[in-house]
mmCIF file of all heavy atoms in Angstrom:
data_model
loop_
_atom_site.group_PDB
_atom_site.id
_atom_site.type_symbol
_atom_site.label_atom_id
_atom_site.label_comp_id
_atom_site.label_asym_id
_atom_site.label_seq_id
_atom_site.Cartn_x
_atom_site.Cartn_y
_atom_site.Cartn_z
ATOM 1 N N LYS W 1400 51.889 286.309 236.126
ATOM 2 C CA LYS W 1400 50.475 286.728 236.043
ATOM 3 C C LYS W 1400 49.764 285.999 234.907
ATOM 4 O O LYS W 1400 49.183 286.593 234.010
ATOM 5 C CB LYS W 1400 50.343 288.245 235.933
ATOM 6 C CG LYS W 1400 50.691 288.968 237.253
ATOM 7 C CD LYS W 1400 50.384 290.422 237.172
ATOM 8 C CE LYS W 1400 50.416 291.078 238.575
ATOM 9 N NZ LYS W 1400 51.520 290.606 239.438
ATOM 10 N N LEU W 1401 49.841 284.681 234.984
ATOM 11 C CA LEU W 1401 49.199 283.810 234.023
ATOM 12 C C LEU W 1401 48.201 282.905 234.782
ATOM 13 O O LEU W 1401 48.450 282.496 235.879
ATOM 14 C CB LEU W 1401 50.202 282.942 233.265
ATOM 15 C CG LEU W 1401 51.192 283.623 232.364
ATOM 16 C CD1 LEU W 1401 52.199 282.624 231.787
ATOM 17 C CD2 LEU W 1401 50.482 284.393 231.248
ATOM 18 N N TRP W 1402 47.107 282.624 234.093
ATOM 19 C CA TRP W 1402 46.123 281.687 234.616
ATOM 20 C C TRP W 1402 46.143 280.466 233.719
ATOM 21 O O TRP W 1402 45.586 280.457 232.642
ATOM 22 C CB TRP W 1402 44.777 282.336 234.649
ATOM 23 C CG TRP W 1402 43.677 281.557 235.341
ATOM 24 C CD1 TRP W 1402 43.781 280.326 235.903
ATOM 25 C CD2 TRP W 1402 42.341 281.988 235.535
ATOM 26 N NE1 TRP W 1402 42.607 279.922 236.437
ATOM 27 C CE2 TRP W 1402 41.667 280.934 236.240
ATOM 28 C CE3 TRP W 1402 41.618 283.117 235.189
ATOM 29 C CZ2 TRP W 1402 40.347 280.992 236.578
ATOM 30 C CZ3 TRP W 1402 40.269 283.195 235.562
ATOM 31 C CH2 TRP W 1402 39.646 282.144 236.225
ATOM 32 N N LEU W 1403 46.870 279.406 234.183
ATOM 33 C CA LEU W 1403 46.952 278.160 233.460
ATOM 34 C C LEU W 1403 46.316 277.069 234.305
ATOM 35 O O LEU W 1403 45.859 277.326 235.421
ATOM 36 C CB LEU W 1403 48.423 277.820 233.148
ATOM 37 C CG LEU W 1403 49.276 278.896 232.507
ATOM 38 C CD1 LEU W 1403 50.720 278.385 232.327
ATOM 39 C CD2 LEU W 1403 48.697 279.373 231.185
ATOM 40 N N ASP W 1404 46.277 275.856 233.836
ATOM 41 C CA ASP W 1404 45.808 274.718 234.598
ATOM 42 C C ASP W 1404 47.037 273.985 235.150
ATOM 43 O O ASP W 1404 47.844 273.465 234.369
ATOM 44 C CB ASP W 1404 44.944 273.786 233.769
ATOM 45 C CG ASP W 1404 43.478 274.172 233.765
ATOM 46 O OD1 ASP W 1404 43.033 274.751 234.770
ATOM 47 O OD2 ASP W 1404 42.794 273.906 232.758
ATOM 48 N N SER W 1405 47.144 273.952 236.483
ATOM 49 C CA SER W 1405 48.248 273.275 237.117
ATOM 50 C C SER W 1405 48.190 271.768 236.864
ATOM 51 O O SER W 1405 47.132 271.170 236.977
ATOM 52 C CB SER W 1405 48.249 273.568 238.626
ATOM 53 O OG SER W 1405 49.383 273.045 239.245
ATOM 54 N N GLY W 1406 49.327 271.187 236.545
ATOM 55 C CA GLY W 1406 49.356 269.783 236.122
ATOM 56 C C GLY W 1406 48.823 268.785 237.106
ATOM 57 O O GLY W 1406 48.256 267.760 236.712
ATOM 58 N N GLU W 1407 48.953 269.066 238.425
ATOM 59 C CA GLU W 1407 48.551 268.037 239.395
ATOM 60 C C GLU W 1407 47.061 267.797 239.429
ATOM 61 O O GLU W 1407 46.608 266.792 239.944
ATOM 62 C CB GLU W 1407 49.060 268.367 240.796
ATOM 63 C CG GLU W 1407 48.614 269.690 241.343
ATOM 64 C CD GLU W 1407 49.662 270.783 241.180
ATOM 65 O OE1 GLU W 1407 50.499 270.679 240.278
ATOM 66 O OE2 GLU W 1407 49.649 271.758 241.956
ATOM 67 N N ILE W 1408 46.246 268.715 238.862
ATOM 68 C CA ILE W 1408 44.796 268.459 238.847
ATOM 69 C C ILE W 1408 44.441 267.289 237.905
ATOM 70 O O ILE W 1408 43.355 266.742 237.991
ATOM 71 C CB ILE W 1408 43.996 269.725 238.497
ATOM 72 C CG1 ILE W 1408 44.208 270.116 237.021
ATOM 73 C CG2 ILE W 1408 44.283 270.849 239.427
ATOM 74 C CD1 ILE W 1408 43.310 271.275 236.557
ATOM 75 N N PHE W 1409 45.396 266.926 237.052
ATOM 76 C CA PHE W 1409 45.185 265.823 236.123
ATOM 77 C C PHE W 1409 45.664 264.478 236.745
ATOM 78 O O PHE W 1409 45.618 263.456 236.085
ATOM 79 C CB PHE W 1409 45.868 266.081 234.817
ATOM 80 C CG PHE W 1409 45.420 267.338 234.143
ATOM 81 C CD1 PHE W 1409 46.140 268.542 234.297
ATOM 82 C CD2 PHE W 1409 44.275 267.373 233.386
ATOM 83 C CE1 PHE W 1409 45.705 269.714 233.725
ATOM 84 C CE2 PHE W 1409 43.839 268.551 232.805
ATOM 85 C CZ PHE W 1409 44.556 269.742 232.952
ATOM 86 N N GLY W 1410 46.142 264.532 237.970
ATOM 87 C CA GLY W 1410 46.683 263.347 238.637
ATOM 88 C C GLY W 1410 48.098 263.581 239.079
ATOM 89 O O GLY W 1410 48.765 264.529 238.616
ATOM 90 N N ALA W 1411 48.591 262.720 239.944
ATOM 91 C CA ALA W 1411 49.948 262.886 240.516
ATOM 92 C C ALA W 1411 51.004 262.975 239.437
ATOM 93 O O ALA W 1411 52.011 263.667 239.597
ATOM 94 C CB ALA W 1411 50.226 261.757 241.490
ATOM 95 N N LEU W 1412 50.833 262.255 238.334
ATOM 96 C CA LEU W 1412 51.835 262.261 237.251
ATOM 97 C C LEU W 1412 51.915 263.602 236.544
ATOM 98 O O LEU W 1412 52.842 263.846 235.778
ATOM 99 C CB LEU W 1412 51.534 261.159 236.245
ATOM 100 C CG LEU W 1412 51.660 259.740 236.780
ATOM 101 C CD1 LEU W 1412 51.259 258.752 235.691
ATOM 102 C CD2 LEU W 1412 53.058 259.430 237.254
ATOM 103 N N GLY W 1413 50.960 264.506 236.790
ATOM 104 C CA GLY W 1413 50.989 265.799 236.178
ATOM 105 C C GLY W 1413 51.788 266.852 236.935
ATOM 106 O O GLY W 1413 51.991 267.966 236.477
ATOM 107 N N ARG W 1414 52.325 266.488 238.092
ATOM 108 C CA ARG W 1414 53.099 267.442 238.895
ATOM 109 C C ARG W 1414 54.320 267.891 238.133
ATOM 110 O O ARG W 1414 55.039 267.103 237.545
ATOM 111 C CB ARG W 1414 53.501 266.807 240.221
ATOM 112 C CG ARG W 1414 52.330 266.608 241.184
ATOM 113 C CD ARG W 1414 52.725 265.841 242.424
ATOM 114 N NE ARG W 1414 51.557 265.576 243.240
ATOM 115 C CZ ARG W 1414 51.463 264.576 244.118
ATOM 116 N NH1 ARG W 1414 52.469 263.732 244.242
ATOM 117 N NH2 ARG W 1414 50.359 264.407 244.815
ATOM 118 N N GLY W 1415 54.542 269.208 238.174
ATOM 119 C CA GLY W 1415 55.670 269.794 237.450
ATOM 120 C C GLY W 1415 55.282 270.285 236.085
ATOM 121 O O GLY W 1415 56.107 270.890 235.374
ATOM 122 N N PHE W 1416 54.003 270.029 235.660
ATOM 123 C CA PHE W 1416 53.514 270.465 234.378
ATOM 124 C C PHE W 1416 52.489 271.580 234.539
ATOM 125 O O PHE W 1416 51.898 271.745 235.601
ATOM 126 C CB PHE W 1416 52.886 269.294 233.616
ATOM 127 C CG PHE W 1416 53.828 268.276 233.130
ATOM 128 C CD1 PHE W 1416 54.306 267.253 233.985
ATOM 129 C CD2 PHE W 1416 54.282 268.263 231.812
ATOM 130 C CE1 PHE W 1416 55.190 266.304 233.544
ATOM 131 C CE2 PHE W 1416 55.167 267.303 231.369
ATOM 132 C CZ PHE W 1416 55.624 266.311 232.209
ATOM 133 N N GLU W 1417 52.251 272.328 233.474
ATOM 134 C CA GLU W 1417 51.179 273.309 233.399
ATOM 135 C C GLU W 1417 50.494 273.171 232.035
ATOM 136 O O GLU W 1417 51.209 273.041 231.007
ATOM 137 C CB GLU W 1417 51.719 274.739 233.543
ATOM 138 C CG GLU W 1417 52.343 275.061 234.889
ATOM 139 C CD GLU W 1417 51.342 275.405 235.963
ATOM 140 O OE1 GLU W 1417 50.205 275.810 235.615
ATOM 141 O OE2 GLU W 1417 51.678 275.246 237.181
ATOM 142 N N ARG W 1418 49.169 273.151 232.008
ATOM 143 C CA ARG W 1418 48.475 273.044 230.728
ATOM 144 C C ARG W 1418 48.100 274.436 230.233
ATOM 145 O O ARG W 1418 47.500 275.233 230.957
ATOM 146 C CB ARG W 1418 47.196 272.186 230.896
ATOM 147 C CG ARG W 1418 46.571 271.800 229.551
ATOM 148 C CD ARG W 1418 45.244 271.089 229.744
ATOM 149 N NE ARG W 1418 44.179 272.028 230.065
ATOM 150 C CZ ARG W 1418 42.882 271.718 230.134
ATOM 151 N NH1 ARG W 1418 42.498 270.469 229.872
ATOM 152 N NH2 ARG W 1418 41.967 272.612 230.448
#
Side-chain angles (χ1 to χ4, degrees):
K1400 288 188 168 41
L1401 295 176
W1402 187 358
L1403 309 179
D1404 272 330
S1405 186
E1407 59 261 25
I1408 68 174
F1409 302 96
L1412 294 177
R1414 290 173 185 155
F1416 290 82
E1417 295 279 337
R1418 193 187 75 171

